[in-house]
Amino acid sequence: MRRGLKTTLVMLTGAALTLSAGACGGKKATTGGDDSGQGAKKTVKVGLAYDIGGRGDKSFNDAAFAGLDRVKQNLNLEIKDIEATKGETDNDKIQRLDLLAKSGYNPVVAVGFAYAGALGKVAPKYPNTKFAIVDDASVKAPNVTSLLFAEEQGSYLVGAAAAQKSKTGKIGFIGGVDTPLIKKFEAGYVAGAKKVKPDIKIDVKYISRGTDFSGFSDPAKGKTIAEGEYDGGADVVYHAAGLSGVGLFQAAAAKKKFAIGVDSDQYQTAEPDQKPYIITSMLKRVDTAVYNFVEDTSKGTVKSGPVTFDLKNQGIDYSKANTEAITDLQAKLDELKQEIIDGKVTVPVK
């Protein structure tokens, strides 16, 4: 029996909501209804299947839901969002996607590459349902859109930030699971750090390996690993570990060392005692990707196949919310950012 079944019915009839200040990039929102702005907004039933960690992870999954929150200014949304559970099988994922599709939710968004096998089986059964999958391009079907990101580019920038900020000459990286996707984060981070400080030492650790995805939802282990890296001399640690990153922030505050968030602007959602220690976050605009996909589906303009978000189209960036910590680093980071956008630097993915 699956846990965490949540159904949210959103019917907005008042003035359009203002987009959140952090929501950069993507398409410019338009007013729903007729040209006069007086027509009723279209109702769309959207299904959202979460990755491990679920809503409330203050990172990857929350970013996906934030995309739907943005769409609400143009559309009436009926949302069914269902959480994943630790140790679940592909069959559980198949049942989750099948439930959403056969219940009439269209489009359906699968949050995370772990859904690839399940989506490959479900999508052909519902040819009139539009599906999107985040972080995977292996599912080839006319009704599947792959939402992809240049995570290595944003990680390069925060790696450069970490190296600039470090006083000890040693920084850390915590990956949730040693998958090819998370290795992209590691590769970019290491390359960016070494770009500004070639002799920097980098302590790399993973919480879980192989098919064990618990590393994305274990704050206690995240905290233990972070404490070990800090005790080993690292004074800045970056995580790509989903909900487990909460443990990093706890360790950073306790040790009075610096941390870097991922996916969402984690400075904004951190506890007050943790905020001073979160230099920046690598922004992976899953919210923008989901927003665009749902809007395009409602307009009938959605396209299948891969859609990539990077620094150039503002699908990737770094957070500047903690002005006290980031201001003196920005000039170099923006210089490096422009080099990537101009094609002068190609960030490694391995």
Side-chain angles (χ1 to χ4, degrees), residues 206-245:
Y206 282 86
I207 299 174
S208 64
R209 297 184 177 274
T211 58
D212 177 6
F213 292 146
S214 65
F216 291 127
S217 58
D218 197 332
K221 285 186 179 177
K223 182 179 181 182
T224 298
I225 290 175
E227 288 171 339
E229 292 192 337
Y230 289 134
D231 289 344
D235 55 352
V236 185
V237 178
Y238 169 47
H239 86 92
L243 182 62
S244 299

Side-chain angles (χ1 to χ4, degrees), residues 24 150 153-155 157-158 263 280-285 310-311 314-320 334 337:
C24 65
Q153 294 181 357
S155 296
L157 297 182
V158 300
D263 296 337
T280 184
S281 296
M282 194 285 280
L283 301 179
K284 177 175 174 177
R285 303 318 302 252
D310 58 15
L311 285 175
Q314 298 181 314
I316 292 289
D317 209 339
Y318 71 96
S319 166
K320 306 173 186 67
D334 289 343
K337 177 179 175 180

Side-chain angles (χ1 to χ4, degrees), residues 45-164:
K45 295 178 67 175
V46 183
L48 195 63
Y50 288 121
D51 199 358
I52 295 297
R55 190 170 170 198
D57 67 351
K58 301 182 180 181
S59 183
F60 186 60
N61 291 290
D62 277 357
F65 191 84
L68 297 184
D69 222 27
R70 291 177 58 193
V71 180
K72 288 189 298 189
Q73 78 162 1
N74 297 332
L75 304 170
N76 292 323
L77 298 186
E78 180 181 333
I79 304 167
K80 178 175 282 187
D81 53 330
I82 311 178
E83 293 188 7
T85 58
K86 288 184 181 180
E88 69 178 22
T89 65
D90 250 15
N91 191 53
D92 293 315
K93 293 180 175 65
I94 290 171
Q95 290 182 30
R96 186 174 302 124
L97 295 176
D98 189 75
L99 171 64
L100 291 169
K102 74 181 180 183
S103 298
Y105 290 88
N106 184 13
V108 173
V109 180
V111 185
F113 62 83
Y115 279 97
L119 184 58
K121 293 181 173 65
V122 174
K125 293 171 55 180
Y126 301 94
N128 295 322
T129 299
K130 302 299 183 183
F131 293 90
I133 182 168
V134 181
D135 290 340
D136 179 82
S138 67
V139 184
K140 313 292 184 183
N143 59 333
V144 174
T145 301
S146 297
L147 305 177
L148 309 176
F149 298 84
E151 295 94 350
E152 72 281 1
Q153 294 181 357
S155 296
Y156 183 91
L157 297 182
V158 300
Q164 287 186 85

Side-chain angles (χ1 to χ4, degrees), residues 281-296:
S281 296
M282 194 285 280
L283 301 179
K284 177 175 174 177
R285 303 318 302 252
V286 177
D287 59 334
T288 295
V290 171
Y291 171 85
N292 288 358
F293 172 70
V294 174
E295 274 229 323
D296 286 347

